[in-house]
Amino acid sequence: TEADLAVNDLIAARLRGARPEYGWLSEETKDNPADRSQHHVWVVDPIDGTKAFVKGDTGFCVAIARLDAGHAAAGVVYNPNFDELLHARAGGGAFLNDRPIRVTQYAGLDCRMVGQPDVFARADAATRWPGVQLIGPMPNAVAWRLALVAAGRWDAAVALNPKNDWDLAAAVLLVREAGGVATDRNGDPLVFNRPSVVHPGVVAAGAALHPLIMERLHNRPAA
């Protein structure tokens, strides 16, 4: 939408004006590998959840992260509908409107989970996810779903479809700095600013719950 482009231009003017030596990666800017070859790279989703924005729903946000050598060093996720700003820096904790936040310590599959329909549409869903409390309606923005896990409002978030760097970088840092675990759907670490910016989904939860979810996803024992 015009709004996506306008927000992108505003963020680019502010951040690139302040740090012209940093690289740049954004959903609304044509990918330029040379422009993201720097050690420090901004990664931006001007409006994550554009469909929600267009419909007037609240499930969208702005997500910005600073990457250092492919790892999120600082990140913010902002939902203007609630005036809620979550921010984190590596090793510095995670905060919601300047108040420290933590993921839940829940360790049972009767948890409060948000997930896309493909997670729960299998014939064995009742056995695979015993007692799971599905949260709905699901926010369109995956960054906002992960942010709510970081804030302890939900126990877990699962998305099995591909996600991009700009969807994940800021929110994954929030989850980690809030004491949680966030990996791709295969359980592999999420590293950003690689030649391909696409990742095979995301699973975010507390440290005790995450391996239980991975076990159910892949029918394998928890590590």
Side-chain angles (χ1 to χ4, degrees):
T1 67
E2 291 181 359
D4 290 272
L5 300 175
V7 175
N8 183 75
D9 291 347
L10 174 63
I11 295 172
R14 297 285 179 84
L15 293 183
R16 305 199 82 178
R19 298 288 187 269
E21 70 278 15
Y22 284 16
W24 179 263
L25 173 63
S26 169
E27 182 178 21
E28 304 302 338
T29 304
K30 184 178 180 181
D31 186 22
N32 180 358
D35 196 32
R36 53 187 181 95
S37 63
Q38 306 301 317
H39 178 78
H40 302 300
V41 176
W42 297 118
V43 57
V44 175
D45 196 338
I47 301 179
D48 185 20
T50 299
K51 292 180 181 178
F53 171 78
V54 169
K55 292 192 297 182
D57 293 342
T58 60
F60 68 90
C61 62
V62 180
I64 304 171
R66 191 194 85 201
L67 305 179
D68 292 356
H71 297 276
V76 296
V77 172
Y78 179 64
N79 188 318
N81 297 286
F82 310 115
D83 194 23
E84 291 189 330
L85 175 68
L86 297 96
H87 65 91
R89 62 182 177 85
F95 302 84
L96 167 58
N97 290 347
D98 293 327
R99 298 186 303 273
I101 54 175
R102 298 290 293 177
V103 299
T104 70
Q105 301 302 309
Y106 201 76
L109 287 176
D110 55 339
C111 59
R112 297 168 299 157
M113 182 189 296
V114 62
Q116 292 169 296
D118 54 358
V119 180
F120 305 101
R122 296 171 51 123
D124 63 349
T127 301
R128 184 178 289 255
W129 305 105
V132 67
Q133 303 169 46
L134 289 181
I135 300 169
M138 183 183 69
N140 186 226
V142 68
W144 188 240
R145 293 177 232 158
L146 298 189
L148 294 178
V149 172
R153 296 181 184 171
W154 300 342
D155 298 310
V158 178
L160 302 184
N161 57 332
K163 300 298 178 187
N164 299 292
D165 277 10
W166 46 80
D167 299 315
L168 299 178
V172 163
L173 180 63
L174 285 171
V175 172
R176 291 174 178 167
E177 288 300 315
V181 178
T183 67
D184 69 19
R185 63 177 291 174
N186 301 316
D188 295 324
L190 290 157
V191 180
F192 306 108
N193 197 31
R194 289 178 167 177
S196 172
V197 300
V198 181
H199 304 270
V202 63
V203 178
L209 180 58
H210 186 276
L212 301 180
I213 294 173
M214 297 307 299
E215 176 188 4
R216 286 296 187 271
L217 282 174
H218 299 287
N219 288 322
R220 64 188 185 199

